[in-house]
């Protein structure tokens, strides 16, 4: 719960005084925040008639935006060296899946198809996109890029702009609304967008790094109790929540959890004030909730009750946890880290959501101690600590070896929605809270320097030196990149259109999940593919989440032949099963690209479907007479 103040900035509270009303989470500190937002324009040249120069403030904003964009290109640069020939990051399968999602979004826009469910992957059962990573809004916005340059280009644009856009959004909100200091905005934007939580998820999770609306959501939550029209404020908040829903439901859920933690902290620290302010906050939330339900009713039904929906996440949740030492260690892809710096402290290279290093932890702790009288600082400290502990899972373990000491997350195990979370991602909340704490500390020091010109220069120099020393080792190195497996020219040239009707299935051989994904993405999902890379139900009678779907019998046989573990001979029963499987897939064509066991696979398929024909750089079996 938050309190009202005309400026809507985070508070600078004096010591608690029972004789005056207690300031709340949204109360401003006009006396400590320098007025940097309204810098005067440079005078025009005599006789020029008008000022041709940018105002100082706008020029600073532009320079900050360019710096963040250059930082984002520094992280993703190796992918830009060969957009269509390289995969960026350490999780190529995740990138392939997200490229397919962007390709399908463009297909859905141009064909007016359902953006929340499709049978163009995992044919014919399909994939519930709300139960996976839908990214409907980014996909729609990037449709022109996808149609003109392909899904790989759209993916790189998205993963790069996510970093720069999130950084600038935090800079804008902090400098204008929450902290009142451009210096604080720069530091907060840098931390919240380029900390390991964002960089490691840039290895293949654009739905996690697409946080450009999060600062505005936080700002509107802080303003919940500000005087004004509850209807107007509710509609603005509802529109932001609905937009974030179509970017990433998971990030929206984490924002809601962070807001809940902050509210509970506010209740504990200021119960009477919270009770007094609750009615207006609840009115705003009611309006926002009504709008969100109206906009998201169908996709919510699809996620929790639609075809191919799932419940929970595959495997033991404690597999995806952090260790206590991860908060003071350095991530794999950071200046202070390396290949072994995070070993055993995080589940994989995309889930290194803490890894701040000792200097940052000490700096944040010092900020909390120095500013402990401010309500906002205490609330943020509670949020950072709570979310950090929850990221540890069911036990408090320092290093790679799991301990027997129970942790608070055991109280949440099995709860709906929480059971589908990757636990390490609670630390994404910790990152934002820590970034805000650092921004507040910089804002207070900036204000002190503005009020005491005699010590301003050394104070700002010491602040900058401390920040550089603490943040530099945590900042990212460029993400790795590796070559792609080429997609056949038969697909990339559009030749497939002469052999596969749009929406019907093409079966790549061997039937491999990522081959299906990559071919479908290259064709902008013009044809359906078998299997795929997705989360779905275990079976038609069991909604428990699992990865992928069990392969058809013929897919298993083709995999074995392709691996050289069985001869290409085909029995009558296997031939009948092959015909049944292509009918199940609703296939128009079975396609064999260049392969180490190409001869054996061709012999197998010739025995099943008759002699194949050579088309460009593939062998093709037209199975339409069998499936239509």
């Amino acid at each position: 719960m938050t309190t009202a103040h005309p400026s809507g900035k985070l508070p600078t509270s004096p010591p608690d005084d029972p004789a005056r009303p207690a300031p709340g989470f949204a109360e401003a500190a006009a006396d400590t925040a320098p007025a940097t937002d309204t810098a005067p324009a440079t005078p025009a040249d005599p006789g020029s008639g008008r000022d041709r120069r940018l105002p100082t403030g706008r020029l600073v904003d532009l320079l900050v935006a360019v710096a963040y964009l250059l930082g984002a290109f520094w992280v993703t640069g190796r992918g830009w060296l060969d957009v269509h020939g390289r995969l960026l990051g350490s999780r190529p399968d995740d990138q392939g899946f997200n490229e397919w999602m962007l390709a399908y979004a463009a297909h859905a826009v141009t064909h007016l198809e359902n953006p929340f469910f499709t049978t163009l992957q995992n044919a014919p059962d399909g994939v519930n996109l709300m139960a996976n990573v839908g990214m409907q809004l980014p996909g729609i916005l990037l449709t022109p890029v996808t149609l003109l340059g392909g899904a790989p280009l759209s993916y790189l644009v998205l993963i790069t702009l996510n970093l720069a856009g999130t950084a600038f959004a935090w800079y804008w909100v902090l400098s204008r609304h929450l902290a009142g200091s451009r210096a604080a905005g720069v530091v907060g934007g840098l931390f919240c967008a380029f900390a390991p939580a964002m960089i490691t998820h840039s290895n293949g999770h654009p739905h996690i790094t697409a946080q450009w609306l999060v600062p505005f959501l936080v700002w509107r939550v802080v303003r919940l109790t500000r005087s004004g029209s509850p209807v107007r404020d509710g509609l603005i908040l509802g529109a932001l929540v609905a937009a974030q829903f179509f970017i990433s439901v998971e990030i929206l859920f984490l924002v809601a959890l962070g807001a809940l933690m902050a509210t509970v902290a506010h209740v504990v620290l200021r119960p009477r004030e919270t009770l007094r302010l609750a009615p207006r906050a609840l009115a705003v939330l009611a309006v926002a909730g009504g709008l969100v339900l109206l906009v998201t009713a169908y996709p919510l039904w699809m996620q929790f009750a639609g075809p191919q929906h799932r419940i929970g996440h595959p495997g033991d949740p404690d597999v995806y946890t952090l260790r206590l030492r991860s908060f003071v260690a350095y991530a794999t892809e950071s200046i202070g880290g390396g290949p072994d710096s995070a070993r055993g402290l995080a589940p994989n290279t995309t889930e290194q959501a803490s890894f701040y290093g000792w200097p940052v932890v000490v700096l944040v702790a010092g900020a909390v101690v120095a500013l402990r009288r401010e309500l906002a600082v205490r609330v943020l400290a509670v949020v950072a600590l709570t979310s950090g502990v929850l990221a540890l899972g069911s036990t408090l373990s320092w290093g790679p070896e799991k301990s027997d000491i129970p942790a608070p997350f055991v109280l949440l195990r099995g709860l709906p929605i929480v059971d589908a979370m990757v636990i390490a991602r609670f630390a994404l909340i910790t990152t934002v809270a820590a970034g805000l704490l650092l921004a507040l500390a910089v804002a207070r020091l900036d204000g002190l320097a503005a009020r005491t010109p005699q010590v301003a220069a050394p104070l700002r120099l010491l602040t900058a030196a401390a920040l550089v020393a603490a943040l530099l080792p945590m900042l990212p190195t460029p993400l790795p990149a590796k070559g792609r497996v080429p997609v056949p020219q038969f697909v990339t040239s559009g030749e497939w259109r002469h052999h596969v009707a749009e929406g019907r299935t093409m079966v790549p051989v061997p039937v491999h999940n990522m081959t299906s994904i990559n071919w479908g993405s290259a064709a902008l999902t013009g044809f359906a593919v078998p299997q795929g890379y997705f989360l779905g139900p275990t079976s038609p009678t069991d909604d428990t989440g699992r990865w992928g779907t069990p392969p058809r019998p013929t897919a298993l046989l083709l995999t074995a032949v392709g691996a050289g573990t069985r001869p290409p001979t085909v029995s009558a029963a296997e031939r009948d099963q092959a015909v049944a499987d292509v009918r199940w897939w609703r296939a128009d064509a079975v396609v064999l690209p260049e392969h180490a066991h190409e001869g054996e696979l061709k012999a197998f398929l010739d025995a099943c479907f008759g002699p194949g024909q050579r088309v460009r750089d593939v062998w093709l079996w037209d199975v339409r007479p069998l499936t239509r």
Side-chain angles (χ1 to χ4, degrees):
M1 202 66 64
T2 58
T3 60
H5 190 280
S7 71
K9 296 173 185 174
L10 295 173
T12 61
S13 315
D16 292 341
D17 181 356
R20 66 183 295 276
F25 191 70
E27 194 172 28
D31 60 331
T32 60
T36 58
D37 294 342
T38 56
T42 304
D45 294 333
S48 65
R50 61 190 177 98
D51 182 10
R52 298 180 180 274
R53 300 184 184 182
L54 286 171
T56 303
R58 293 181 184 176
L59 180 59
V60 171
D61 292 345
L62 179 61
L63 292 174
V64 170
V66 170
Y68 286 149
L69 188 60
L70 290 175
F73 275 113
W74 162 260
V75 174
T76 63
R78 289 172 177 165
W80 285 101
L81 294 176
D82 187 355
V83 173
H84 294 277
R86 286 186 171 190
L87 290 161
L88 179 69
S90 59
R91 307 285 286 187
D93 289 357
D94 287 348
Q95 178 171 344
F97 168 79
N98 283 289
E99 288 181 358
W100 190 94
M101 295 298 293
L102 292 168
Y104 177 73
H107 176 90
V109 168
T110 55
H111 291 72
L112 299 180
E113 293 189 5
N114 190 340
F116 309 114
F117 180 83
T118 182
T119 57
L120 293 177
Q121 188 182 155
N122 189 36
D125 289 335
V127 175
N128 187 321
L129 303 181
M130 287 304 302
N132 286 268
V133 179
M135 292 200 308
Q136 285 83 11
L137 184 56
I140 290 169
L141 294 175
L142 286 168
T143 289
V145 179
T146 305
L147 295 176
L148 293 172
L153 177 61
S154 275
Y155 177 84
L156 272 178
V157 168
L158 180 59
I159 210 74
T160 303
L161 291 185
N162 279 351
L163 296 175
T166 299
F168 191 76
W170 276 116
Y171 163 78
W172 183 275
V173 169
L174 283 165
S175 63
R176 282 158 172 79
H177 303 294
L178 295 183
S181 161
R182 277 194 167 85
V186 169
V187 172
L190 180 69
F191 191 94
C192 291
F194 291 93
M198 291 285 282
I199 301 305
T200 59
H201 279 291
S202 295
N203 279 294
H205 296 164
H207 69 294
I208 297 295
T209 62
Q211 295 184 26
W212 6 285
L213 290 186
V214 170
F216 298 97
L217 283 165
V218 171
W219 170 41
R220 299 310 298 192
V221 169
V222 167
R223 286 171 47 101
L224 270 178
T225 57
R226 177 179 174 179
S227 59
S229 169
V231 173
R232 177 181 175 275
D233 288 347
L235 290 176
I236 293 173
L237 178 60
L240 286 169
V241 170
Q244 184 61 50
F245 179 92
F246 294 113
I247 297 171
S248 171
V249 175
E250 186 171 359
I251 289 299
L252 180 60
F253 182 59
L254 289 172
V255 171
L257 286 177
L260 178 61
M261 294 175 196
T263 300
V264 171
H266 200 287
V267 170
V268 172
L269 294 169
R270 295 282 173 80
R272 292 181 181 177
E273 184 183 12
T274 304
L275 186 63
R276 176 175 60 84
L277 297 169
R280 186 183 187 279
L282 292 174
V284 175
L285 291 174
V287 174
L291 176 60
V292 171
L293 285 176
L294 181 66
V295 173
T296 64
Y298 174 71
L300 281 172
W301 172 85
M302 180 64 70
Q303 180 170 1
F304 295 108
Q308 295 295 105
H309 73 277
R310 65 178 172 94
I311 297 174
H313 197 279
D316 182 357
D318 273 326
V319 171
Y320 299 96
T321 59
L322 299 173
R323 297 293 187 264
L324 272 168
R325 189 158 65 87
S326 72
F327 289 87
V328 296
Y330 288 112
T332 303
E333 286 141 2
S334 64
I335 292 174
D340 299 320
S341 61
R343 192 179 302 278
L345 304 178
N348 55 51
T349 53
T350 62
E351 303 295 344
Q352 296 174 18
S354 47
F355 294 90
Y356 309 121
W358 275 113
V360 167
V361 171
V362 171
L363 199 62
V364 171
V368 171
V369 171
L371 303 175
R372 62 188 179 279
R373 293 183 176 181
E374 296 192 25
L375 179 61
V377 170
R378 284 177 280 169
V379 168
L380 287 169
V382 170
V383 171
L385 185 62
T386 303
S387 55
V389 170
L390 289 175
L392 303 175
S394 300
T395 60
L396 296 173
S397 304
W398 172 256
E401 296 299 323
K402 189 174 181 180
S403 76
D404 296 325
I405 305 172
F409 183 79
V410 296
L411 302 175
L412 305 180
R413 286 196 64 147
L415 287 180
I417 303 179
V418 175
D419 65 353
M421 281 189 62
V422 176
I423 298 175
R425 295 178 190 175
F426 275 107
L428 291 164
I429 303 174
T430 313
T431 293
V432 170
L436 292 179
L437 284 167
L438 286 177
L440 281 177
V442 170
R444 303 308 176 246
L445 290 168
D446 198 23
L448 179 61
R451 295 194 308 274
T452 54
Q454 64 274 20
V455 297
L459 181 59
R460 285 178 170 141
L461 182 62
L462 286 173
T463 301
L467 288 169
V468 169
L471 296 180
L472 185 61
M474 185 197 73
L475 292 180
T477 55
L479 294 174
K482 61 181 292 186
R484 295 173 182 262
V485 176
V487 176
Q489 291 182 3
F490 172 77
V491 175
T492 58
S493 68
E495 179 70 25
W496 64 269
R497 297 183 185 278
H498 301 297
H499 305 274
V500 183
E502 192 150 322
R504 295 281 291 184
T505 303
M506 179 194 295
V507 181
V509 176
V511 183
H512 179 265
N513 293 340
M514 293 314 300
T515 303
S516 288
I517 290 290
N518 294 333
W519 287 23
S521 175
L524 296 181
T525 67
F527 52 78
V529 291
Q531 300 179 193
Y533 186 78
F534 62 95
L535 283 164
T538 297
S539 73
T541 58
D542 184 358
D543 295 338
T544 305
R546 64 159 287 162
W547 290 105
T549 189
R552 300 291 295 179
T554 303
L556 292 172
L557 287 175
L558 288 168
T559 299
V561 173
T565 58
R566 66 151 284 166
T569 55
V570 179
S571 67
E574 289 168 341
R575 185 181 302 109
D576 291 342
Q577 182 64 57
V579 172
D581 285 342
V582 292
R583 286 174 177 164
W584 164 263
W585 286 318
R586 299 173 188 170
D588 277 2
V590 177
V591 177
L592 171 64
E594 182 180 346
H595 193 278
H597 293 274
E598 185 175 330
E600 295 95 318
L601 287 166
K602 182 178 182 300
F604 182 96
L605 293 168
D606 284 344
C608 291
F609 307 120
Q613 57 178 313
R614 189 71 179 176
V615 181
R616 281 190 178 256
D617 53 346
V618 302
W619 289 99
L620 182 140
W621 287 262
D622 186 343
V623 295
R624 286 174 288 188
L626 300 172
T627 62
R628 293 203 181 191

